[in-house]
Amino acid sequence: MQSIRVLGAPAGSRKLLHFARLALCAALVVSGAAVARADDYRLGVMDKLRVRVAEWQTAEGAVRDWSAVSGEYTVGASGSVSLPFVGDLPASGRTTTEVAEEIGIKMQKLFGLRDRPSASVEMAQYRPVYLYGEVETPGEYPYAPNLTVLKAVSLSGGLRRGPTGQRFARDYIAANGDSSVQVAERNRLLIRRARLQAEIAKHDKIELPEELKNAPGVDKLLESETALMVSRDKRQDRQLDALADLKSLLQSEIESLAKKAETQQRQLELAMEDRDKVDSLAEKGLALSQRKLSLEQRVADVQSQLLDIDTNSLKAKQDVSKATQDESNLRNDWDAQLAQELQNTEAELDTLTLKLGTSRDLMTEALMQSAEAAQLDEQAANITYSIIREQDGKSAEIAATETTPVLPGDVIKVNAAVAMR
């Protein structure tokens, strides 16, 4: 990771300059939002974590990227995650924030670092969920946020049905499950698109799309996207403020050097006048060579100091130019990122709209293909669900419905007593 350095800063301004650099580097090190809130989610075996570690080096005024430690790691069967140099860290039952803090503490102690490294730990992939019982394809399936029992059953192909006279029911439930998943994903993408449009237009509030005015759960989606927008805006503002502070300090340094150069220039003029007078006296034999040599040395010293001041001033001006360019690049990169994210979201919405239309067509076809479609609700009423979940190191079976939220590592049991004619 690159660092911004300023040479020739006056001693009185270096401390303020250090804090400006620190604020900028801290804002740049933090990346992206985590998949789940670190304060809520407790890690478990088979969870995959994405770890990034960076260190602010006070003495050098730069950020060191610990790429040897950064990477993706899996919580092992023992409940620990193993990192290079750091070794095994207990992770099961802890939050990503707690794991990140321990990584920083252990690395500081291990390497005897003056400054504690900043570790960022976020979810890369949740541990899977398991489908068991009267489903088409029992087994292991990847977990996704906002997963419910109905969505999980749809991942397995829906409920298991008999090959004769019941295939329409399986097709209907599978299509209905796919449709539910796709509607939820479409709502999420619509809110994301509205948030990106608000960010591009520099608005403080997200305008709710017309399609979602009466959609269930839209308040939580809107709240989540609003929080993300505020967080992203604050991060960019911190970066811009840090660059502005840096430019201000550099400008003060340039002004100070200019005043110092004026003083040195006056001293040079006086020294040269004295030297010329001594030269005149020396020609008349009235001056000592030692005094002449002393004045020559004084003129050379002042000229050298003026050269150092000019050099430091030039370096400070170059740093101001670089900070200005960094500020421009930051704004341009942010605008380009928003435009790219909006384009990708539009493409995902188009694809999802086609899939949703296909799922609804399949549901309609399944209902039309059999006279027994009217019995679907009655048959579904005989389906029961339960979740086997590990709590405090013990497994507990919990009664569930189609809308019950599923957590990583859950085992979903599906029991069906289908009424047959």
Side-chain angles (χ1 to χ4, degrees), residues 141-204:
Y141 292 91
Y143 175 82
N146 300 322
L147 188 68
T148 62
V149 169
L150 179 60
K151 294 177 183 179
V153 170
S154 70
L155 294 176
S156 67
L159 297 176
R160 180 182 296 151
R161 300 291 178 179
T164 304
Q166 298 299 323
R167 181 167 184 172
F168 78 93
R170 181 193 65 191
D171 293 342
Y172 179 89
I173 293 176
N176 187 41
D178 291 341
S179 177
S180 298
V181 173
Q182 291 158 2
V183 168
E185 179 66 13
R186 183 201 62 178
N187 293 347
R188 187 179 65 83
L189 289 174
L190 287 172
I191 288 289
R192 183 204 293 175
R193 182 178 67 179
R195 187 254 302 166
L196 291 170
Q197 291 172 341
E199 289 182 307
I200 291 174
K202 310 299 183 184
H203 291 166
D204 297 332

Side-chain angles (χ1 to χ4, degrees), residues 20-37:
R21 289 169 175 159
L22 185 58
L24 173 60
C25 294
L28 295 174
V29 167
V30 176
S31 63
V35 181
R37 289 179 55 191

Side-chain angles (χ1 to χ4, degrees), residues 234-296:
K234 287 182 178 179
R235 182 179 64 182
Q236 187 190 34
D237 290 342
R238 284 196 300 268
Q239 294 173 349
L240 292 173
D241 289 344
L243 287 171
D245 292 343
L246 178 59
K247 289 169 62 178
S248 178
L249 290 172
L250 290 170
Q251 194 60 46
S252 298
E253 179 185 358
I254 292 171
E255 294 173 359
S256 176
L257 289 172
K259 292 179 181 178
K260 188 175 181 181
E262 292 178 3
T263 302
Q264 291 295 321
Q265 185 63 41
R266 287 196 297 269
Q267 292 183 4
L268 177 61
E269 292 173 357
L270 293 174
M272 293 180 69
E273 288 178 4
D274 290 344
R275 184 191 62 182
D276 293 342
K277 290 178 181 179
V278 170
D279 287 343
S280 177
L281 293 174
E283 292 176 356
K284 298 177 182 179
L286 300 177
L288 298 176
S289 59
Q290 182 65 30
R291 183 180 178 189
K292 180 181 178 180
L293 180 62
S294 175
L295 288 174
E296 290 286 354

Side-chain angles (χ1 to χ4, degrees), residues 326-344:
D326 288 343
E327 182 179 6
S328 177
N329 291 340
L330 180 62
R331 295 182 186 275
N332 293 336
D333 291 346
W334 179 251
D335 292 339
Q337 179 184 343
L338 289 176
Q340 184 62 52
E341 288 183 10
L342 181 59
Q343 183 179 1
N344 294 341

Side-chain angles (χ1 to χ4, degrees), residues 90-243:
S92 184
R94 308 176 74 184
T95 66
T96 54
T97 300
E98 292 170 347
V99 175
E101 289 177 352
E102 185 167 353
I103 291 174
I105 293 172
K106 284 208 168 186
M107 289 189 63
Q108 184 180 23
K109 292 181 179 179
L110 179 63
F111 295 102
L113 302 175
R114 176 180 178 182
D115 302 295
R116 181 182 299 175
S118 174
S120 169
V121 179
E122 61 185 38
M123 295 299 304
Q125 181 178 325
Y126 292 93
R127 56 189 184 273
V129 296
Y130 303 87
L131 273 294
Y132 168 81
E134 297 299 321
V135 292
E136 188 65 25
T137 311
E140 173 184 309
Y141 292 91
Y143 175 82
N146 300 322
L147 188 68
T148 62
V149 169
L150 179 60
K151 294 177 183 179
V153 170
S154 70
L155 294 176
S156 67
L159 297 176
R160 180 182 296 151
R161 300 291 178 179
T164 304
Q166 298 299 323
R167 181 167 184 172
F168 78 93
R170 181 193 65 191
D171 293 342
Y172 179 89
I173 293 176
N176 187 41
D178 291 341
S179 177
S180 298
V181 173
Q182 291 158 2
V183 168
E185 179 66 13
R186 183 201 62 178
N187 293 347
R188 187 179 65 83
L189 289 174
L190 287 172
I191 288 289
R192 183 204 293 175
R193 182 178 67 179
R195 187 254 302 166
L196 291 170
Q197 291 172 341
E199 289 182 307
I200 291 174
K202 310 299 183 184
H203 291 166
D204 297 332
K205 185 178 180 181
I206 301 175
E207 184 177 352
L208 187 65
E210 289 293 334
E211 304 96 312
L212 301 179
K213 292 294 185 182
N214 299 317
V218 69
D219 291 340
K220 291 184 178 179
L221 290 175
L222 183 60
E223 181 182 353
S224 175
E225 289 295 328
T226 300
L228 177 59
M229 182 176 72
V230 171
S231 175
R232 284 156 61 102
D233 287 343
K234 287 182 178 179
R235 182 179 64 182
Q236 187 190 34
D237 290 342
R238 284 196 300 268
Q239 294 173 349
L240 292 173
D241 289 344
L243 287 171

Side-chain angles (χ1 to χ4, degrees), residues 143 146-149 387 389 400-407 410 412:
Y143 175 82
N146 300 322
L147 188 68
T148 62
V149 169
I387 294 176
R389 179 174 298 164
T401 65
E402 291 181 344
T403 59
T404 300
V406 177
L407 299 180
D410 281 353
I412 304 168

